[in-house]
Amino acid sequence: MKAIRCGVCLLIAFEVLAFGGVRPFGLAILEIGAAALFLLWGVLAILRGEVALHWNWLYAPLLALGLMAIAQEIFGLSIYPYATKLELLKWGAYVLLFFLTVESFRTASQVRTLVWFLLTFSFAVALFGIIQHFTFNGKLYWSVVLPSGAGPFGPYVNRDDFAGFVELTAPLGAALLLFRAWRREKLVLLVLFTVLPIGTLVLSASRGGIIGFAFEFLLLLFLSRARRVGRRQLIAGTALALVAGVFVVWLGVSEAVARFEQLTPGEISRDRRVSMYRDTWHVFVHHPWTGTGLGTLVVAYPKYESFYDGLVVDHAQNDYLELLADMGLAGGLCGVAFVGLLVWRVLQNLRSAEGRTARSLYAGALAACAGLLLHSFVDFNLHIPANALLFLLLASIATSTMEENAELPIRLANPSAS
C-alpha cells in the first residue's frame, strides 16, 4: 500500500499548491486522482488475493450525508440538481480518499511518516508565504491576477484559508514536542518545522486562525498533562511558545494587531457578516427538514438576502449554518454525529494507546480537527478542497486503531476494535 500512501500525499500537496483546490482544474485533479487511487487499491488487493476492509465509525455520518445528497438530486429535493451533482462528485472523492487513508495508514510508523511529510510540506508552504508576503506585487505566485478584495497568503487566495491549513499541520509538530515523541537528532528540525508555520499564521493576520491555533495549543497542553507525562511537558510548551513568540515579533505583528482592533478595508464588514448569518438561517427555516440541496446556497441565498452590495454570496462564512441550509435538520444531525463520534473514538484511542508516539499522533490529529471545527464558526474552510481533504485524513487517523504490523492479512475488522 506504499503507492497508495504516496499518492494520497501527492494529491494533498497538489491541492494546496493549486490555490487550495478551489479552481475547476484543482477539483478535476482531486476527483480523477481519488478515482485512480481507488482503482489502484483494487488492483493491488486483487494481486494480493485479499480484500481490505477496516471499519471506521466516521463512515456512518459521511455515507449518510452522501446518501441524503443523492436523494436530493434524484427525488427533486434540490432546488438546483446540477449544483448538487457537482458537489456530490467532490463529496465522493472525499469519501474515497477517507477510505484509502483508513486502509493505507495502519501503523504508528506509517502515520508518523505522514506527519513528517505534512510538517515538511507545511514548512515549505510557510516559507513561500513569507517570501511572497514581503515581495508581493498584487498577484498570486507573482503572476496570477486576483479577484477584487482578495487577501492572499501563500498559495491560497484568502488568508483565512491559509490559516486553516496551518491549523491542520502545526498541531502535529506541537504534539510531538509536548509528548516528547521525538528523536534527539530530529529535534531542531521538528522545532523549525513547527515554529515557522506558526509564525506565518500570525503574519497572515487571520483572526479566526490565530484564535483557533491558541485553542489547539491549550488543548494539547491539557491532553499532555492529563496523561501525566510530567513537568517537562509544561516546560516544553512554554519554550515552544516563547520561541514562536520571538519569531512572530521578528516577522512583525502590527497587521495582526490592527485586524483584532478593527476591521480592515476590503474584508466583510461586521454588519454584512451578521446579515449573512441571519439570511442563511432564514434559508434553513424555510427548508428545515432536507434543506435546499447540497451545494445550492449560492442559488438559494439571493431570495433571502437582506444586505445587498452587488457581491455574490457563495458561502455563509459559517460551515454549520451552511450545512443546515443545504441539508436541513437531517444533515445537521449527520454533522453532530460526525463530531460526537470523532471525539468519542479519539478519547478511546488516547486511553488505550501505548507509547508516547501513538498518543502524540492521536492528540495532534484531535487538536488539528478541533481547531478547524472552531474556526468553522466564522469561516468556510471545510468548503476549501485542500483543507477539507486534510481535515478528513486527520479525522480518519484520529479515529482508527494503529496496528503493529502494516502487512497483516486484511479482514473485516470488528467495529468495536477499530
Side-chain angles (χ1 to χ4, degrees), residues 340-416:
L341 288 171
L342 172 65
V343 174
W344 169 60
R345 284 298 302 150
V346 176
L347 293 180
Q348 278 195 332
N349 286 336
L350 282 171
R351 283 194 293 267
S352 61
E354 296 181 0
R356 295 172 181 170
T357 298
R359 286 197 293 269
S360 69
L361 296 175
Y362 285 133
L366 172 62
C369 292
L372 197 71
L373 288 172
L374 177 64
H375 194 172
S376 290
F377 279 104
V378 293
D379 217 321
F380 53 94
N381 266 288
L382 293 177
H383 286 84
I384 304 301
N387 293 355
L389 176 58
L390 187 52
F391 171 83
L392 287 174
L393 185 150
L394 293 175
S396 72
I397 288 171
T399 53
S400 297
T401 300
M402 297 179 194
E403 299 173 352
E404 293 296 326
N405 187 354
E407 303 301 331
L408 286 172
I410 302 174
R411 60 196 180 280
L412 181 60
N414 186 343
S416 62

Side-chain angles (χ1 to χ4, degrees), residues 179-301:
F179 283 79
R180 290 191 294 152
W182 40 264
R183 296 175 183 175
R184 184 172 300 177
E185 65 272 16
K186 292 184 177 180
L187 178 59
V188 174
L189 276 180
L190 181 58
V191 172
L192 181 62
F193 288 178
T194 303
V195 169
L196 186 72
I198 296 173
T200 54
L201 170 62
V202 177
L203 186 64
S204 72
S206 168
R207 290 165 298 186
I210 293 171
I211 294 172
F213 181 76
F215 171 73
E216 292 174 337
F217 190 71
L218 292 175
L219 177 59
L220 285 174
L221 279 177
F222 171 77
L223 291 174
S224 64
R225 292 292 293 168
R227 294 297 305 180
R228 299 179 182 178
V229 183
R231 184 176 56 184
R232 296 181 180 179
Q233 273 55 49
L234 185 59
I235 297 175
T238 304
L240 179 62
L242 286 174
V243 172
V246 171
F247 181 67
V248 165
V249 171
W250 179 71
L251 283 176
V253 296
S254 58
E255 185 176 355
V257 172
R259 278 176 58 82
F260 273 97
E261 289 178 348
Q262 60 183 359
L263 296 177
T264 57
E267 73 172 303
I268 298 175
S269 69
R270 185 179 294 117
D271 291 340
R272 175 59 162 153
R273 183 180 292 270
V274 170
S275 73
M276 290 170 65
Y277 293 165
R278 182 177 59 248
D279 298 340
T280 305
W281 176 256
H282 289 159
V283 176
F284 162 66
V285 169
H286 285 84
H287 303 83
W289 305 113
T290 58
T292 60
L294 186 65
T296 61
L297 181 69
V298 65
V299 180
Y301 187 83

